[in-house]
Amino acid sequence: MWMEIICGLVIYKLVRRFFYDDEFSDVETSDSTALFSVAHRLEKLYGGKAYVGLRIPDADTASRQDIDVVLVTKGEIVVIAVKNLSGIVTVTSDGSWVCEGGKHHTTETYPDPLAEVKKQASVLESYLEQRGVTLLEGNLSCKVVIPNPSFRTIHAFPSEVITYEDWQQLKPASKSKLSGWVKGAFSTGKDMQESSHQKLNFILGTAPTWDRVELKSSKIVLGEFLEFKGKQEDTLALRNIKRSKVDRVSIQKTSMFGLAPSRLQVLYSYRDYRSEGSSGAESKEVTVRSSTEVLFQPRDSTKMKKFKLSSLVSISLSA
C-alpha cells in the first residue's frame, strides 16, 4: 500500500512538472535572463567585470536611471542596452524602433535605443564623478546589443548597434592585438590606472541595482522584493530578512525521493557594507512551510507577482 502511495505521488509530480507547471508562464523572464546571458558572454570574451540591472541616481531628475549592463575592462567602460526583440523591426523618422510580430504577434514601439543608452552613459559618468572617479576621454562608450535570433530588419544601423549577426561574430580579444571589428565594437579607450580601475569596480559593485529572483528553471526576474506571504508562524520566522540587513537568500528542499517538500530551509546572509557583496561571515537559517510565497514587483511591469518559495533558488536584495 505504501509503495502504491509513493508511486502515485511520484507520477503526480512528474505529470504536474511536464504538463501543468506553468506558474511562471505569464512572467516575462526572457528579457531579464537575456541581460545576464549578454553580460556573461562579454566577460568571457573580453575579461573584466559586467554589472547587471543598475539603477543609477540621476541628480537632474531626482530619479534613478535604469542601465541594463555596464562592462568594465582595463581599457574602458561600456554602457550596454540589451534589446531582446523578436520580430521585424523598422525605424521611424524620429529614431524610434517599431517591432512587429514576435511570440505574441503584437506591435511595440520603443524610443530610440541608441539615444537612450547615450543618456544612460551621461548619467553614469556624472554619478562616477560625484563619487570621485573622473573618466578620461575615450574611456566611456555605448552599445546596443540585440541577442535574439528572431530579430529581423532591412535597416542599416550605426556601428554602436550590435545586431544578432554581429553578436554571433564576436570573438575573444587577443592580449596583443584586437581584430578590426572587435576593436571597433568593444575596445576604443586607453588603459585606466590600477587605482582608478579598482575604485570604479568598488563603486559599481555597491551601486543601487534591481532585486532579482532566480527560478529553478534557470530564469531570472529583475524587480523589487516586497514581502513574504504565508502562515503567521512562517512570516515571523522570516521577519529579519530586510534589504537593510540582508543581501542574499538561498532556498533548499528538505524532501526525499524528489517528492514535494512540506518544509523548506531558508539560508540568508547579512550585508557587509565595508566591501562589495556579502562577507559570508555571518548567516542564519530558518525553516518554513513550502506554501510560503514571495510578493515581487517585476521590472517594467504594473502587475505584482507571487512566487512560491519552493520554486525559487535564491533572492538577491539591493541595498
Side-chain angles (χ1 to χ4, degrees), residues 238-283:
L238 297 167
R239 67 185 181 279
N240 290 326
I241 301 180
K242 301 177 181 179
R243 68 177 64 257
S244 60
K245 299 179 180 180
V246 173
D247 65 353
R248 183 174 174 81
V249 181
S250 299
I251 299 96
Q252 299 177 351
K253 289 183 178 181
T254 60
S255 63
M256 297 177 63
F257 308 115
L259 302 179
S262 59
R263 309 286 293 181
L264 296 172
Q265 290 178 334
V266 179
L267 181 67
Y268 57 94
S269 55
Y270 283 101
R271 190 180 303 281
D272 184 359
Y273 286 98
R274 297 168 299 178
S275 61
E276 177 184 344
S278 172
S279 65
E282 187 177 4
S283 60

Side-chain angles (χ1 to χ4, degrees), residues 60-81:
D60 292 336
T61 62
S63 60
R64 292 190 177 185
Q65 183 70 57
D66 290 350
I67 300 180
D68 290 341
V69 180
V70 175
L71 177 67
V72 179
T73 68
K74 292 288 186 180
E76 68 170 334
I77 305 173
V78 189
V79 179
I80 302 161

Side-chain angles (χ1 to χ4, degrees), residues 38-274:
V38 167
H40 176 73
R41 184 159 188 249
L42 291 176
E43 287 180 336
K44 187 176 180 180
L45 288 172
Y46 307 115
K49 173 68 175 177
Y51 299 90
V52 180
L54 295 176
R55 304 185 69 196
I56 301 301
D58 184 351
D60 292 336
T61 62
S63 60
R64 292 190 177 185
Q65 183 70 57
D66 290 350
I67 300 180
D68 290 341
V69 180
V70 175
L71 177 67
V72 179
T73 68
K74 292 288 186 180
E76 68 170 334
I77 305 173
V78 189
V79 179
I80 302 161
V82 179
K83 295 300 178 183
N84 190 36
L85 302 181
S86 173
I88 300 174
V89 173
T90 56
V91 181
T92 64
S93 58
D94 66 354
S96 299
W97 292 11
V98 179
C99 183
E100 299 180 82
K103 181 179 179 181
H104 301 291
H105 303 286
T106 58
T107 299
E108 299 285 346
T109 301
Y110 302 89
D112 186 348
L114 190 54
E116 286 201 328
V117 76
K118 287 180 179 179
K119 178 183 177 182
Q120 294 166 9
S122 177
V123 171
L124 178 63
E125 187 173 19
S126 298
Y127 174 74
L128 293 175
E129 288 178 354
Q130 293 171 7
R131 297 194 62 178
V133 173
T134 301
L135 301 176
L136 299 175
E137 184 178 357
N139 278 140
L140 180 64
S141 64
C142 307
K143 302 294 174 186
V144 177
V145 173
I146 307 167
N148 197 316
S150 298
F151 174 85
R152 299 288 185 271
T153 187
I154 59 173
H155 294 271
F157 290 104
S159 60
E160 293 91 346
V161 178
I162 313 302
T163 63
Y164 175 74
E165 290 74 15
D166 293 335
W167 176 244
Q168 291 299 104
Q169 293 175 18
L170 288 180
K171 296 179 181 179
S174 169
K175 293 182 179 180
S176 58
K177 184 178 180 181
L178 297 177
S179 66
W181 192 90
V182 174
K183 186 174 182 181
F186 278 100
S187 182
T188 58
K190 300 176 181 179
D191 286 353
M192 289 179 281
Q193 294 182 354
E194 184 64 27
S195 58
S196 297
H197 186 259
Q198 291 179 355
K199 187 173 183 179
L200 179 60
N201 277 298
F202 175 79
I203 292 173
L204 292 177
T206 55
T209 65
W210 285 105
D211 300 332
R212 66 190 67 168
V213 292
E214 181 181 355
L215 313 182
K216 288 182 179 178
S217 58
S218 298
K219 294 180 179 179
I220 298 173
V221 182
L222 294 177
E224 183 180 359
F225 166 81
L226 299 176
E227 61 179 334
F228 293 103
K229 290 285 188 179
K231 298 291 185 180
Q232 184 178 16
E233 176 186 349
D234 297 323
T235 56
L236 285 175
L238 297 167
R239 67 185 181 279
N240 290 326
I241 301 180
K242 301 177 181 179
R243 68 177 64 257
S244 60
K245 299 179 180 180
V246 173
D247 65 353
R248 183 174 174 81
V249 181
S250 299
I251 299 96
Q252 299 177 351
K253 289 183 178 181
T254 60
S255 63
M256 297 177 63
F257 308 115
L259 302 179
S262 59
R263 309 286 293 181
L264 296 172
Q265 290 178 334
V266 179
L267 181 67
Y268 57 94
S269 55
Y270 283 101
R271 190 180 303 281
D272 184 359
Y273 286 98
R274 297 168 299 178

Side-chain angles (χ1 to χ4, degrees), residues 293-306:
E293 296 177 324
V294 173
L295 191 60
F296 197 81
Q297 177 65 62
R299 175 195 187 195
D300 299 329
S301 175
T302 58
K303 297 181 180 180
M304 291 183 293
K305 301 291 181 182
K306 285 185 179 180

